[in-house]
Amino acid sequence: YAADALAEMARRSCDEEANEPTTEAAHTDPDTDSGTGVAEPEGAAGPAGRAEPSRRKPTRRRAGTHKVILRVDLGTLLRGYPIEGEVCEIAGFGPVAVSAALDMIDTDDPFLTAVVTNGQKLVGAAHLGRRPNALQQTALQWLYPSCANEACSAQARLDFDHRADWSRTHFTVLDLLDRLCGHCHALKTRQNWSLVDGRGKRALVPPEDARHPGNAMGPPHPPPVRC
């Protein structure tokens, strides 16, 4: 937000300089000038002794005129490619490659919105920034008044946690967010602990636990023994 504010200040400053009225040469029209050959400065006193207000027009920013809506199934977005029955398309255009969709997300185009689905079920409108937007934050605060770890009762200074790292996905969707206290968040980030699959308060388990999402496929089968 601070960087956006700084860029906006610079943009407005440039706009104002571009709209500065240039200093006119000395007036020679006897009907409009006293013949002194000196241009009156802006805001000089008028005939009645009152200061003339500046007539500079306020600068207006032109609003955006387009919006691109990307619809993609959650599994496709996480996997990187669609399977039968899944969708990755731009509304009004048609199907696009997942790589193209990810390239669009990486541009941080403010007019791009991602609608994430699971079949015909709407999972949510994905926010393309790192932090949850206001609506997502409210939903998470309602779902998690305390740390999502069922063994933890912390209610203050909870962090918004991405189940799939934002540095890899570059999108923020409600179904992939939890709230964790600083200690539990550190266990997840630094020691590969993870919440078991589900929603709401649930167990936070170490990587060797069978319930860890990374162990969902189970241990690899040993190769067959040949006689």
Side-chain angles (χ1 to χ4, degrees):
Y1 293 150
D4 291 343
L6 181 60
E8 180 65 15
M9 291 171 60
R11 186 181 301 110
R12 291 189 180 184
S13 176
C14 291
D15 289 342
E16 289 179 359
E17 290 179 1
N19 291 329
E20 281 281 355
T22 56
T23 304
E24 297 288 344
H27 296 292
T28 56
D29 188 345
D31 295 330
T32 59
D33 191 78
S34 59
T36 60
V38 178
E40 293 185 358
E42 183 180 358
R50 296 188 301 272
E52 293 288 343
S54 172
R55 292 182 175 81
R56 182 187 306 165
K57 293 182 179 180
T59 303
R60 293 185 180 180
R61 295 185 62 193
R62 185 168 56 187
T65 57
H66 67 281
K67 183 176 184 178
V68 178
I69 299 178
L70 170 69
R71 181 201 165 184
V72 59
D73 277 305
L74 181 58
T76 299
L77 200 55
L78 293 175
R79 190 184 310 110
Y81 59 89
I83 59 177
E84 185 177 356
E86 293 184 343
V87 173
C88 181
E89 63 183 13
I90 294 176
F93 176 80
V96 295
V98 178
S99 58
L102 294 174
D103 286 343
M104 293 177 63
I105 292 174
D106 287 341
T107 64
D108 293 330
D109 188 337
F111 301 107
L112 174 66
T113 299
V115 176
V116 182
T117 55
N118 184 7
Q120 294 300 316
K121 177 185 176 183
L122 177 66
V123 175
H127 171 50
L128 303 184
R130 188 182 186 98
R131 287 185 57 81
N133 60 25
L135 183 60
Q136 291 171 330
Q137 290 184 31
T138 300
L140 288 167
Q141 289 162 354
W142 178 77
L143 285 169
Y144 301 102
S146 61
C147 177
N149 180 8
E150 65 183 10
C152 180
S153 60
Q155 298 182 0
R157 307 180 73 84
L158 301 183
D159 299 329
F160 296 110
D161 176 64
H162 292 74
R163 300 187 196 180
D165 289 342
W166 185 88
S167 59
R168 178 173 62 85
T169 64
H170 284 206
F171 66 87
T172 299
V173 65
L174 181 61
D175 276 14
L176 295 179
L177 291 172
D178 299 293
R179 293 182 83 204
L180 294 171
C181 69
H183 173 70
C184 295
H185 199 180
L187 286 175
K188 177 180 179 295
T189 303
R190 299 173 186 170
Q191 301 183 34
N192 199 28
W193 286 51
S194 180
L195 291 163
V196 299
D197 289 334
R199 172 62 70 189
K201 289 184 75 70
R202 53 203 191 277
L204 182 72
V205 296
E208 62 271 14
D209 193 293
R211 297 170 293 169
H212 192 285
N215 301 325
M217 302 300 293
H221 295 287
V225 177
R226 298 183 181 274
C227 296

